[in-house]
Amino acid sequence: MNLDYIKPDNWSIIEEGFNADNVKSSESIFSIGNGAMGQRANFEEQYSGPTFQGSYIAGVYYPDKTRVGWWKNGYPEYFAKVLNAPSWIGINVLVNKEPLDLFTCKEVKNFRRELNMKEGWLSRSFEATLPNNIQVEVSTKRFLSLDLDEVGAIKYQVKPLNSDAEITFQPYLDSGITNEDTNWDDKFWDTLQITIEGEKAFIEAKTMKTEFYTCTFMESSVFVNNEKQDQKPEIKRESNAIAFHYTVHVAAGETASIHKFGGYTVDRKLERSQLVSAAKNVLETVIEHGFTTLLEKQKEAWSKIWEMSDITIDGDVKAQQGIRFNIFQLNQTYLGKDSTLNIGPKGFTGEKYGGSTYWDTEAYCIPFYMATKNENVARNLLKYRYNHLEKAIENAEKLGFKNGAALYPMVTMNGEECHNEWEITFEEIHRNGAIAFAIFNYYRYTGDFSYIPEMGLEVLIGIARFWQQRATFSEARNKYVILGVTGPNEYENNINNNWYTNYLAKWCIDYALENIEKVKEGYHDDYLRVSGKTKITDKELQEWQKVADNMYFPYSEKHQIYLQQDGFLDKELITVADLPQEDRPINQKWSWDRILRSPYIKQADTLQGFYFFEDHFSIEELKRHFDFYEPFTVHESSLSPCVHSIQAAKLDQMEQAYTFYLRTSRLDLDDYNKEVEEGLHITSMAGTWMSIVEGFGGMRVKEDMLNFEPRIPKEWQAYSFKVNFREQILKVNVSQKETTFELEGDTDLDIVVNNKQITISPNNLIKV
Amino acid sequence: MNLDYIKPDNWSIIEEGFNADNVKSSESIFSIGNGAMGQRANFEEQYSGPTFQGSYIAGVYYPDKTRVGWWKNGYPEYFAKVLNAPSWIGINVLVNKEPLDLFTCKEVKNFRRELNMKEGWLSRSFEATLPNNIQVEVSTKRFLSLDLDEVGAIKYQVKPLNSDAEITFQPYLDSGITNEDTNWDDKFWDTLQITIEGEKAFIEAKTMKTEFYTCTFMESSVFVNNEKQDQKPEIKRESNAIAFHYTVHVAAGETASIHKFGGYTVDRKLERSQLVSAAKNVLETVIEHGFTTLLEKQKEAWSKIWEMSDITIDGDVKAQQGIRFNIFQLNQTYLGKDSTLNIGPKGFTGEKYGGSTYWDTEAYCIPFYMATKNENVARNLLKYRYNHLEKAIENAEKLGFKNGAALYPMVTMNGEECHNEWEITFEEIHRNGAIAFAIFNYYRYTGDFSYIPEMGLEVLIGIARFWQQRATFSEARNKYVILGVTGPNEYENNINNNWYTNYLAKWCIDYALENIEKVKEGYHDDYLRVSGKTKITDKELQEWQKVADNMYFPYSEKHQIYLQQDGFLDKELITVADLPQEDRPINQKWSWDRILRSPYIKQADTLQGFYFFEDHFSIEELKRHFDFYEPFTVHESSLSPCVHSIQAAKLDQMEQAYTFYLRTSRLDLDDYNKEVEEGLHITSMAGTWMSIVEGFGGMRVKEDMLNFEPRIPKEWQAYSFKVNFREQILKVNVSQKETTFELEGDTDLDIVVNNKQITISPNNLIKV
């Protein structure tokens, strides 16, 4: 499968020509979402070809009973699954009683699909010849409202071309849906009640076990040549579905169309008893607006998002399309309105990986949200982990830790671990460090220390306790070691002294100690509350300090580099360039043991540490480590190329930086990893943003000031981005010739460009 | 659960008193088998309490679709399952139309179960008060014939005690059985046809997928006070079952009884079309004999087995009972008649672990079979692996190996791998070494070199090729290393340079090279055939030699010991004695990561290497290694205590040796690992035999001679065993005072006792 069918375009994702082989990939690529819900780009009308149906409601999940080959102590009993929700988009279409089904049509011409990222809608048009030889022209448009995030709208038009025709529209709701990803083929939804009121219908259903109550709703109206038809639909009710059947007669060349509004109300936000009435209210509002006005509002809402978060790239349409696709999908997934939500690795585009929250959020997504939204959005993401602290402590207890040590889960929906590979669940503990790092990063960027006394300190204490207990003393080395871990490079399992993990562990302890002191000095009441709750003692803190001060780091004198882990140099160090092409990707071609004993790195590991803590190392050290590890990195994780792009840019290796940038930004559009059918790689999209802003733009925050070291790939004429830094909005434009800075607002801003401090005044273009 | 309800007895396993909590454990303990089939000690009559039903036919398995949490490349698609076969033992009993069911009886008195190991039968007797207040005395006897290994016999007697009664016997066959261990609740058996002929019934059924055709059969006759009743039974036929209903009336104190013969004919041995007629023939034969004669023959057959394989222990009834139980179960499981069969870790006593063949056979079972049977039995076990060589080569190819490298599976029924944990399936490769070692061991013991040119050499070449390819060169160490393995100690995963594995790998290559030379010199035709088939070249052999000569072995200068693996000394070296009791067994109390990073050893690993290659090391070296590793060994594998017992005996640490002996010999009788309900640990029972013969007896074969260094635990007065050494049978009797040797036959035998050579003449007791 090659996705070269996606047309380059600055603002849209466009597919031309119908190919059933592309349907599942396009269902992922053309996904739409509004932060509260989202859906794959499934067709409204019946489709009998291969398809992966998906409509998802944020925060609504199912705890699927764990399935394993051999049970290991500590495995979670349940694995939270992203849950395919009842479908509301369906509109079956009959032409002279023959179903319109692109898979069975005699001919499909001029098929075109567009995801308009600027305005936030999805459209589709085609001409099809049905088995009964009627030719129809079809065009559809669909969007999920940003303003009213319970609702979406569909306009569906059919024009018979070669004959008069009877057109039947059958809009429906269906709660008899299934999940692709189910362990035991359990039933996930229980339909409670179906209600009809005029041309509105409502299905109340609840999820099994988690008991999320939802109301899936719709309203339809039918038009002929834009004239609303008054006919009452025929009602078809089944146990898990409700449909309205409308039939109209149109002459050849005339247009029959249907407007359908639908969506969900959910008891995560409303009283259970209010779900139907809330749905009615939403429908009343959108009916009053009508499709066209609602679409106008959609454009406005997206325009505001783009105003702040757009990145322009001149002279490279594929790069431009790539970055906008990433920014668009991130905003479709998470808008920061709700601190109980997070950013799932597949967002609303697929079921794979289950759970909504990985360390991706802290390591990759927070910088994007900090710079393109107000600081409250990032604060909400931190608060999400604070709210899960108790569960993280329980999770650590299950693994034998004590005294309030916290181990955040690898994958979670509600704070509970829901992953079950021992090598990841129990051993990929570096995730705990990313959660502490995000607190540091948030404070560094926003200057908002208040989060730490209020919430962050408790998290830092739980994490420091974990590391102190997890490290063990090696008599042989006279150092503390951390045995049996998996680092970010998941192509190693159960290794000893992963440098990244050890470094992060030491840093977490030091950072917690530093903040205990700060809070003790500056926030006495908070200190009393937190120390009372956590019962930290001086003796305990001394234990922490001892571990942090005596942590072991594997190092090669010969290569003058930190070793990814003990024994790395024992491997057969054949570079990726010398691997036969037919062996790649190794995760599809090699058995697991072969991958494990190879030197190949799935994603930045040691270099991830150099990214987090770049001030701790000289540029020469970075260069040595980059030159050593990059040749063994296969980037088979979506989270890898962005970090390498940033590091390559820092080292002025711009060709490499550009190659990695393309790979990260078009990972899904070009389907590098041959798996886009399963959904998009949402969290890594934030890494793409970092590649430009931090990589090419060289943006850092040092001592409360924005720093830049702008670079530009030779393939580009110019690029620009905006950042919101402590409520001041700065636009940066980098061309081959110069870099310009423009400041909004009315206060000056001091920034550092290429190590020289300059002052930017509002509305005054500064060239450097 | 504590199994202290088993009564000490020299020749029988006895349970007294009925306790429903013990039923599943006793079903395992009292299992019976005859090498061709076997069964758990399920009750004949209906039982509504907790039970684990199992009847197994040797070599009849089902490839169950693999179940995993996350799929990893290289996993086998199917996992061969030990298959619960159609049941033939069932006899429902009604007393005045009330079902006899021990779980619902008002009272059960004088319950007694006996497994008579001397004569090879299982009996049960009890007095029960049924819900209808009728008291009955019941006694049953059951055995699986060694002579006619398709058939078993049951005698079931009921005597009403307090009233005349109508007794209904309902002997039945049932092919609607299920497996406890099924991944997807698939149906495993397909019933084809039910045939009735007089009082004989036959169910033909085949296994799904593997298509093993079987005929399960029965014949019954009913007696009152030993007088055969002529009544024709009522026939009850269902889709998967057939029953005969016999009703007799007996006065209080009179006895109603039924004799039932049943069993299986299988297309592994017969034409499919002959299954029913073969079953009829077998039934004719046993009917002609009758129950009593058949039982006499059973006693004779077991007497022959005991004649050769019995071990006596004087003065310690629990030790005596333990060793006989082990020898009995081994003989019930495998008699060496069929080179397509092997010794499953649970034999015919449970489903767990699936597959029939582990490295247990080569490492633990072959010595027992070599010494207590004729050499052909061990040769058949070697041939089994020769027949699987092609599959082992395919298995290695799946993992990326080439050129005829062979990796034998971890678990198999038919030569294909059927285990799916990457850390075991792909990495526990030391199993390959045990297969080569068994060839060495067989030749050492039997002196029969012919196996090597005929078959063994090809196996040795495939194995040597695997090791040469699996080792990689470490520039850093300037040695060959073996990365990413799991050793015999499965409480370590994905470790580097497991000493046992590296040592075995080097030895395998050296041994293959040595035998290539021997065959080249002495068996020219075989050499041409094998070298033609395997295409070995001098250049390749030089590559092997290079790896063998430059293998890396982790070593601690400080402790003067080989390290179990790289980095072992980095662990927190707290001994087992210092572990809190509530933390044990760690495999039930600790999460997997915690086990992995601990120093605790599940089973002998480095010490297993010292056992295989004891001549390579001095006694001082053994002592250092034993003293270092034993304190970290938790023996949570059934295969561990026997090796430690042998080593402790060798080091004259007899208290330890005795403790380990008791643990290995009564592992199941005393349920050390709290899992006997799932079945017995058959393969480790051969280790118990080794603990006495090799451990206490100090028996070794050196330079074609039997060597002994007899020791005796202070708890025993004397012990004796017999060995068949190259068709000479030697009986050894060790008491606190002296050791005696007695030789059967008519030829002298030179042996070495405590390093002194002596000559034993037949039928002449020698005291040492």
Side-chain angles (χ1 to χ4, degrees), chain A residues 93-100 130 132 134 136 158 165-167:
Chain A
V93 177
L94 283 74
V95 180
N96 287 356
K97 302 195 166 52
E98 175 95 39
L100 170 62
L130 277 73
N132 61 10
I134 309 275
V136 290
V158 181
E166 175 201 88
I167 309 290

Side-chain angles (χ1 to χ4, degrees), chain B residues 71-228:
Chain B
W71 189 263
K72 295 216 156 63
N73 278 339
Y75 276 158
E77 300 279 339
Y78 293 95
F79 190 143
K81 286 281 163 75
V82 167
L83 199 49
N84 184 22
S87 170
W88 65 261
I89 65 159
I91 305 172
N92 285 335
V93 178
L94 283 74
V95 180
N96 286 355
K97 302 197 165 48
E98 175 95 40
L100 171 63
D101 177 340
L102 283 174
F103 199 67
T104 61
C105 279
K106 284 186 166 176
E107 192 182 9
V108 181
K109 283 197 302 190
N110 299 328
F111 181 91
R112 184 175 189 279
R113 177 144 44 178
E114 176 177 355
L115 180 64
N116 188 305
M117 302 186 287
K118 187 169 187 179
E119 303 182 349
W121 48 257
L122 168 67
S123 73
R124 191 162 50 105
S125 55
F126 56 85
E127 286 170 40
T129 308
L130 275 74
N132 61 10
N133 292 318
I134 310 273
Q135 284 179 0
V136 291
E137 183 186 287
V138 173
S139 71
T140 74
K141 190 168 277 189
R142 185 161 102 211
F143 60 91
L144 301 184
S145 169
L146 286 178
D147 279 338
L148 290 163
D149 64 12
E150 302 93 340
V151 79
I154 303 169
K155 182 164 142 186
Y156 197 110
Q157 294 187 314
V158 181
K159 183 199 287 181
L161 297 176
N162 60 346
S163 148
D164 299 356
E166 176 200 89
I167 309 291
T168 308
F169 291 116
Q170 304 178 342
Y172 64 88
L173 301 176
D174 177 12
S175 58
I177 37 77
T178 55
N179 254 50
E180 296 252 322
D181 181 19
T182 151
N183 287 340
W184 305 100
D185 292 330
D186 283 356
K187 200 180 157 204
F188 289 172
W189 286 94
D190 189 10
T191 302
L192 303 170
Q193 192 171 311
I194 299 182
T195 322
I196 297 160
E197 201 180 285
E199 287 167 72
K200 300 189 189 74
F202 309 88
I203 296 187
E204 288 169 276
K206 72 174 166 84
T207 58
M208 312 298 280
K209 294 188 195 164
T210 31
E211 303 219 326
F212 288 110
Y213 282 68
T214 59
C215 170
T216 308
F217 57 84
M218 67 170 178
E219 189 272 351
S220 308
S221 45
V222 169
F223 301 79
V224 171
N225 297 334
N226 295 322
E227 201 158 302
K228 188 167 182 327

Side-chain angles (χ1 to χ4, degrees), chain A residues 618-681:
Chain A
S618 70
I619 192 89
E620 292 74 25
E621 283 178 296
L622 173 63
K623 172 127 180 82
R624 278 201 303 277
H625 286 78
F626 187 87
D627 288 351
F628 184 82
Y629 287 111
E630 203 289 316
F632 299 114
T633 308
V634 288
H635 302 292
E636 290 175 11
S637 158
S638 64
L639 299 170
S640 189
C642 59
V643 173
H644 279 249
S645 182
I646 295 168
Q647 306 286 38
K650 186 169 177 188
L651 293 169
D652 242 339
Q653 297 171 193
M654 288 298 286
E655 294 242 353
Q656 270 180 304
Y658 178 68
T659 305
F660 289 130
Y661 166 78
L662 274 192
R663 182 157 176 167
T664 177
S665 76
R666 296 189 61 88
L667 178 78
D668 289 320
L669 290 180
D670 292 340
D671 200 12
Y672 274 95
N673 291 355
K674 312 287 174 221
E675 56 184 17
V676 77
E677 292 186 356
E678 297 169 345
L680 304 176
H681 297 84

Side-chain angles (χ1 to χ4, degrees), chain A residues 144-179:
Chain A
L144 301 183
S145 170
L146 285 179
D147 281 337
L148 290 163
D149 65 11
E150 302 91 342
V151 79
I154 302 168
K155 184 163 138 186
Y156 197 110
Q157 293 186 314
V158 181
K159 186 198 285 182
L161 297 176
N162 60 346
S163 148
D164 299 353
E166 175 201 88
I167 309 290
T168 306
F169 290 116
Q170 304 177 342
Y172 65 88
L173 302 176
D174 177 11
S175 57
I177 37 77
T178 55
N179 254 50

